[in-house]
Amino acid sequence: MNTSWYQDALASSLETSKWEHIPVVIFEQPKLAAAGVAQEIAQLVRDREADGLKVVLGLATGSTPIFVYQELARLHREERLSFRNVITFNLDEYYPISPEHARSYHRFMREHLFDHLDIPESQIHIPDGAIPRGDVAAACERYEKQIAEAGGIDLQLLGIGRTGHIGFNEPGSSRRSGTRLIHLDRLTRLDAIKDFQSEELVPRTAVTMGVKTILQARRIVIMAFGEHKASIVARAVEGEVTAEVTATYLQDHEDCLMVLDQAAASQLTRIQTPWLVGPLDEMGLGWSDSMLRRAVNWLAQKTGKAVLKLTDEDYNSHSLQELLSQYGNAYEINLRVFRQLHNTITGWPGGKPPGADQLPVTQPRALRSLSAAVYPKRILIFSPHPGDDVLAMGGTLLRLAEHQHEVRIAYQVSGSGSVKDEVLQRYLDFHQQVGGVPLPKDRSDARQWKTLKAAICRAEARAAARVCQVNPDYLHFLDLPFYEKAGDVYRQVSPEDITITARLLEQIRPHQIYAAGDLADPHGTHRICLEILTQALKQSSGAPWFAECEAWLYRGAWAEWPIHEVDMAVPLSPSELACKQRAVFQHESQKNQAPFLGGEGREPGRSAEDSARATSRLFDALGLPDYEAIETFHRWILA
């Protein structure tokens, strides 16, 4: 594998801006980043083997290092790289938990790494989560001694939690802390619900290497992927060193590298507001329409002014003199951006009937409808889980149906994993009360249990579709196989997933596609569903319908698109917003059940409503029309 690109990225990371206190390297995709990190580990293993020496690795668990471990396994399998000279020490383990537990880190490491390599069993070390409470302190001391006897850690692999923790060193951890038992922060436990299915089942404590132990590693590589990590990454890299964000301690390490994908890097100053770092031309950037909108929107919010009220002085005093030099004066800039924003607003997301006025000629050519002459259209909406469709675009869904388009919805996974046992039990009890045939009351038949949960999700999806005036016969429940793999938390795309999706595309031959573009969790269902759709569309690229198909990405329940990424904004009236809420309410099994409530404790329906209203307020503040709510979409250019 040619890794020159990774070496170039490492070299460029040393030229970080003055804002960054940890060297940072940014990759387009998590898999590219992980492949590079795996190659660095592999090279270290080879070099030490050539010298007849052992290499000591500190390893992390969780979704972030999965791709690294997959690449290491591939190197061993296909390139015969031996790991017999490797000694490993894992960062942490839940407590109390048995090594055989499906969600223990012992089992995680075996399933994802150790069972695929030739590391001797005696050289693998993971904190014991099953020992008696009274023995934990002594076991932690032995762990520290084992690391020292191995010669210390050569390379420590880290992830970062949303609280800023490294290992399980939660906010407040001392820089001098060693391996110990620690109480887990509630946000950390909420993030673990996806593994344990309910908050009640997530352990409250864990054994973790301390900050001091981690900082003694000779090299540290910390990785973060996904939008949900962007905020804490920016604090870790650019903020002050503080015990409240233990990852900031890494700023003082002599050889530490932060490896990010573009989503996780999105709130770094050089990405979010690069004009504050220096001239864009010197950074290899330019003032594209998107960058121009980003800067002007940022300036408007910074000054509290509408776009058309910004002055030359506003631009000069906020490091945007470069824009004035390029466009001449504030008026020209303001007018250009205002027109761009105004042209995103449309009450006709599927286009207008023949003879009606279409989008203004000022609309960028790339955003004009590819199938403007077709009316009504065949519209295919992909919803990862049942309910994602109405949460994110329920008002738009209603508008499309009212305009007589053929609206079809494809639910990509069954959603059974998000239905709690007690919800199903309630339905079973009802069934028994009305005289139905006997049904299981426990989990003795796991397959039937999942089937019944999926049936609940389907019934709710049909009810929500009826509220939005969508014909229930136009609903497609794909039940993609990747989601149904029992016990596999970190699911992977299979050829069958792509085939099922491609078959539906060929059956419908849509003029418009809507899909979930909320990639906050790079290993979540939304990401995998979009990857499957992407691959299916590639297979369909030669079909006649593909050339006239346009695609739009919507976001999830907790955030709309940033204003500079909005290509279509669909305003909602009070009655349309109320209809959306009624549709969301049909997904009753999801009420208070969704494992990702953004740490805010809000129900998804309330979050979706608040998000749509907040977007409308932002448009209003920028000087655009004031609506009850707005749903936003980003144009997805199909290759």
Side-chain angles (χ1 to χ4, degrees):
M1 178 178 180
N2 185 353
T3 59
S4 60
W5 53 270
Y6 180 68
Q7 298 302 324
D8 292 344
L10 294 182
S12 67
S13 74
L14 301 179
E15 303 173 5
T16 54
S17 74
K18 64 179 180 180
W19 304 85
E20 297 169 9
H21 308 306
I22 298 175
V24 172
V25 58
I26 303 169
F27 294 91
E28 183 177 353
Q29 298 290 340
K31 286 186 178 180
L32 288 176
V37 173
Q39 288 292 337
E40 178 178 342
I41 293 172
Q43 191 59 50
L44 177 61
V45 171
R46 292 189 185 99
D47 291 345
R48 290 298 177 88
E49 183 182 34
D51 294 335
L53 300 173
K54 301 284 189 183
V55 58
V56 182
L57 300 178
L59 300 178
T61 50
S63 60
T64 302
I66 285 288
F67 293 140
V68 175
Y69 297 155
Q70 288 177 349
E71 178 63 12
L72 291 176
R74 187 197 66 80
L75 290 170
H76 174 67
R77 181 178 64 254
E78 298 180 8
E79 301 185 18
R80 300 184 182 278
L81 174 64
S82 175
F83 290 83
R84 295 192 63 81
N85 67 322
V86 172
I87 301 173
T88 69
F89 289 91
N90 262 75
L91 277 168
D92 41 33
E93 175 62 286
Y94 288 114
Y95 184 89
I97 197 168
S98 71
E100 293 76 26
H101 191 285
R103 301 298 174 251
S104 75
Y105 287 167
H106 277 76
R107 184 161 172 176
F108 175 98
M109 292 303 300
R110 296 196 179 283
E111 290 182 354
H112 293 284
L113 187 64
F114 297 147
D115 286 351
H116 308 283
L117 304 181
D118 59 345
I119 303 176
E121 184 71 25
S122 62
Q123 294 171 197
I124 295 172
H125 304 85
I126 305 175
D128 191 344
I131 59 176
R133 186 66 172 256
D135 297 337
V136 171
C140 291
E141 291 182 10
R142 286 197 301 274
Y143 206 69
E144 291 281 344
K145 184 178 180 181
Q146 288 173 320
I147 294 173
E149 290 174 345
I153 295 173
D154 294 305
L155 189 151
Q156 176 67 61
L157 193 64
L158 296 175
I160 180 172
R162 285 201 295 152
T163 65
H165 66 248
I166 48 176
F168 272 133
N169 291 284
E170 297 285 18
S173 295
S174 167
R175 185 196 298 263
R176 297 183 295 277
S177 59
T179 302
R180 68 202 187 284
L181 186 69
I182 193 167
H183 188 83
L184 298 179
D185 185 272
R186 184 166 186 268
L187 182 56
T188 300
R189 296 182 67 244
L190 285 174
D191 284 345
I193 291 176
K194 67 181 186 299
D195 297 338
F196 290 87
Q197 301 306 312
S198 72
E199 185 177 353
E200 294 77 15
L201 296 177
V202 179
R204 295 182 177 275
T205 54
V207 177
T208 183
M209 274 191 203
V211 176
K212 179 182 178 181
T213 315
I214 292 171
L215 292 177
Q216 287 174 340
R218 283 177 275 280
R219 175 162 171 81
I220 295 175
V221 176
I222 179 169
M223 306 170 68
F225 304 141
E227 295 170 1
H228 65 308
K229 295 292 181 72
S231 176
I232 199 63
V233 162
R235 288 188 65 186
V237 172
E238 299 183 351
E240 296 181 358
V241 176
T242 172
E244 292 305 305
V245 180
T246 54
T248 59
Y249 290 135
L250 300 177
Q251 294 180 16
D252 297 328
H253 195 274
E254 293 182 353
D255 190 7
C256 178
L257 179 69
M258 177 82 79
V259 178
L260 308 173
D261 69 347
Q262 291 180 338
S266 61
Q267 292 190 31
L268 293 177
T269 300
R270 63 164 148 147
I271 304 298
Q272 191 172 43
T273 51
W275 49 87
L276 296 178
V277 177
L280 265 58
D281 289 342
E282 294 181 6
M283 292 184 283
L285 302 173
W287 286 106
S288 63
D289 284 343
S290 177
M291 185 68 75
L292 179 64
R293 285 166 59 179
R294 177 186 296 195
V296 174
N297 295 333
W298 170 83
L299 180 61
Q301 294 178 61
K302 193 82 172 174
T303 59
K305 293 182 176 182
V307 169
L308 293 177
K309 293 184 178 180
L310 295 171
T311 66
D312 288 359
E313 290 72 21
D314 292 326
Y315 284 88
N316 274 321
S317 59
H318 290 86
S319 303
L320 288 170
Q321 301 93 337
E322 193 176 356
L323 276 180
L324 291 177
S325 299
Q326 182 166 336
Y327 289 96
N329 56 62
Y331 176 79
E332 293 297 331
I333 303 170
N334 297 345
L335 194 58
R336 183 183 181 93
V337 171
F338 180 84
R339 285 173 174 166
Q340 289 181 12
L341 291 172
H342 191 271
N343 286 340
T344 65
I345 301 173
T346 178
W348 297 85
K352 294 183 179 180
D357 293 336
Q358 293 293 331
L359 293 171
V361 294
T362 53
Q363 184 80 359
R365 180 176 299 275
L367 301 183
R368 296 179 196 170
S369 176
L370 299 173
S371 56
V374 180
Y375 193 97
K377 292 181 172 65
R378 292 186 300 275
I379 294 174
L380 182 55
I381 297 167
F382 285 89
S383 178
H385 302 89
D388 286 330
D389 51 341
V390 292
L391 278 169
M393 56 173 293
T396 303
L397 185 58
L398 175 65
R399 189 76 61 85
L400 290 168
E402 287 179 336
H403 291 170
Q404 304 302 307
H405 297 289
E406 181 184 310
V407 180
R408 295 179 177 269
I409 307 172
Y411 300 101
Q412 294 167 277
V413 306
S414 69
S416 61
S418 61
V419 179
K420 281 192 171 183
D421 291 354
E422 55 264 33
V423 173
L424 173 56
Q425 189 64 63
R426 186 169 69 244
Y427 279 87
L428 295 178
D429 289 344
F430 171 79
H431 181 84
Q432 294 283 52
Q433 291 297 319
V434 298
V437 296
L439 290 172
K441 290 188 176 181
D442 55 44
R443 301 202 62 168
S444 58
D445 188 340
R447 182 178 296 275
Q448 186 178 15
W449 200 264
K450 288 186 67 175
T451 299
L452 291 170
K453 288 183 175 182
I456 291 173
C457 292
R458 289 190 178 203
E460 292 175 342
R462 292 189 185 97
R466 284 193 291 268
V467 171
C468 292
Q469 302 181 25
V470 175
N471 186 342
D473 293 338
Y474 287 170
L475 305 186
H476 305 267
F477 297 93
L478 302 185
D479 293 341
L480 294 179
F482 83 86
Y483 184 81
E484 305 304 326
K485 292 180 180 178
D488 188 357
V489 178
Y490 306 98
R491 304 175 176 105
Q492 299 297 316
V493 174
S494 72
E496 188 178 358
D497 296 312
I498 300 169
T499 298
I500 291 171
T501 306
R503 189 182 300 129
L504 178 67
L505 289 169
E506 182 57 35
Q507 174 190 340
I508 307 301
R509 290 170 285 116
H511 300 104
Q512 271 193 346
I513 290 173
Y514 292 82
D518 185 355
L519 308 181
D521 182 355
H523 295 272
T525 305
H526 284 211
R527 180 195 65 82
I528 297 176
C529 285
L530 189 62
E531 183 178 344
I532 291 169
L533 178 56
T534 300
Q535 294 300 319
L537 285 167
K538 285 183 179 179
Q539 290 189 8
S540 305
S541 60
W545 61 265
F546 185 87
E548 292 187 345
C549 183
E550 60 184 14
W552 300 95
L553 297 177
Y554 59 82
R555 297 292 293 267
W558 295 280
E560 294 287 343
W561 288 100
I563 196 74
H564 63 277
E565 294 187 44
V566 173
D567 294 318
M568 182 168 68
V570 180
L572 307 184
S573 68
S575 62
E576 288 170 327
L577 184 61
C579 180
K580 171 177 178 170
Q581 286 302 100
R582 288 199 304 276
V584 171
F585 183 75
Q586 303 308 310
H587 293 273
E588 191 173 359
S589 70
Q590 306 303 301
K591 186 177 181 182
N592 292 325
Q593 310 298 331
F596 298 106
L597 296 182
E600 302 167 359
R602 291 187 297 166
E603 295 176 10
R606 177 63 64 184
S607 298
E609 179 182 349
D610 292 346
S611 178
R613 281 196 165 116
T615 300
S616 178
R617 289 194 297 272
L618 178 55
F619 270 71
D620 180 38
L622 294 173
L624 293 153
D626 184 16
Y627 297 100
E628 181 71 15
I630 292 178
E631 293 174 343
T632 57
F633 302 86
H634 178 68
R635 182 65 176 269
W636 188 21
I637 305 299
L638 301 179

